[in-house]
Amino acid sequence: MYRLDRLHLEVTNVCNFKCEFCPDAIMERKRGHMDLGLLEKALDDIAANRIARIVAFHLMGEPLIYPHIFTAIEMALERGIRLHLTTNGSTFALRPDHIQKLIDSGVPKVTISLQTPDPDTFTIRGAPPMLKPDAYFDGIRQYVQANLANPEAKTRVHIKFLDTTPHPFLVPHKQMTVVEGKAQMAAELHRWADQLLEGYPQRPSDDWIDRKIQSHKPGRWQVLELDPRLALETFPLDSWGNVESEDVVPASFGYCNGTAQQAGVLYDGTVVPCCKDYEGRIPLGNLNRQSLNEILDGGSACGLRQGFDRFQVSHPVCQRCMGADTKQKAVLRQASSVAYFKVYNPIMKRLQPGWGDV
C-alpha cells in the first residue's frame, strides 16, 4: 500500500478565469465536473487506506464553481481528511454567500491565488467582464477579515502572490511581468498586509511586519506568516511542463516526487503522477475501474517511481517538463531536482515540521 504526502483531487477543470500564467487557455482536455458518486468513492478510498496526508481540491479549474463544492468539503472532513482548497477568490465578489459558507465549512486551509495584486496586473487574469478589479480585491479582503474576526473559524488562509523575478533554474511557459525584485514585492506585501489586518485586534506591530517582509528573498517560494490564520505566500513563475516550448533540451537524469509523494486525480477519474500533468498525458489508471490504492501500487506508477529512484527520467513528458531552453540550464535543473528532493527538502522537513504544507 503506497501513501502520498499530497493528492490533488480535481473536482472540476472548469475555470471562470483565463490567466496568462496558467495553461488553462491551451488545455485540450474536455471540460467537466467530477461526478459526486465518483468523488465519494475517491474520498472513501483515501480515508480507508490513509492514502494521502493532505488532499487538495485543486489541479485545474476553480473548485468554488463546482456545483457540489460545499457538499464535497463536508464529505472530506467527515472522513477525517486533511483538506486544502485552492481558489482564485472570484466567487467572494460574484457569490458573496460563499464567504460565510466557506468559513462555516471548517476547511483547514484555503489558498487564494491572488497572484496579480493591483488593477494593472489583474488584466492578465482573463476574468469575467462583470468582475472588476476593485470588487475582486474587496471580496478577498472581506473573506480574510471575516475569517479572522470569527473566533470559531478554523481555516488558515494563504494569499498567494506571483513572483516574476528572473531565476536561473526556472523556465516560464510565458514571459510576463507582475511583481519583480525585492523592493516591489516588499511594497505589495506591505500594502496587502495593511489592508487584510485593518481593524484586527491581534494585528502584529508595524516593526514586526516590516522585519518579516524584509526577510523575503525574491525569485523563490516563501511563506510569511502574519497570524496563525493568515499568511502571505510568494511563488516564482515557472513552466507547466514546457508543452508550448519548441526548443526544449530534454532531461535525461534527475528526480521528481511524482507518484512517490504526490499524485493527481482528474475530474473524469484519470489518475496522473503529478499536478503538472494537466492534460492526463501519463494516465496511471482510472478510478471508475480500479481503486486508487490499486492504481498507485500498479505497474505504471511503480515504473515511474523506480526510474526516479535511479535518477532516470524516461517518460517523454517528464523529460520535457524537467528540461530547459538551453543545455546549460537543463543540466542545472536536473542536478537541482536531485539536490532539492533528496537533500534540501528532507532537511527542511526535519527542521520545520509542516514544511511543504502549502
Side-chain angles (χ1 to χ4, degrees), residues 23-68:
D24 181 272
I26 60 171
M27 183 172 64
E28 299 176 354
R29 191 159 47 96
K30 183 180 177 181
R31 310 281 175 155
H33 304 306
M34 182 174 283
D35 178 80
L36 194 58
L38 180 61
L39 176 61
E40 185 173 20
K41 176 187 176 183
L43 294 173
D44 283 341
D45 198 3
I46 294 164
N49 296 296
R50 297 167 56 202
I51 286 173
R53 188 174 66 88
I54 294 171
V55 172
F57 275 175
H58 181 64
L59 196 147
M60 293 294 287
E62 168 49 50
L64 285 179
I65 62 175
Y66 178 53
H68 313 293

Side-chain angles (χ1 to χ4, degrees), residues 69-90:
I69 186 58
F70 293 106
T71 299
I73 292 172
E74 183 179 5
M75 287 165 55
L77 298 185
E78 283 177 346
R79 288 159 174 77
I81 290 172
R82 187 178 177 188
L83 181 66
H84 291 183
L85 182 144
T86 298
T87 172
N88 60 31
S90 61

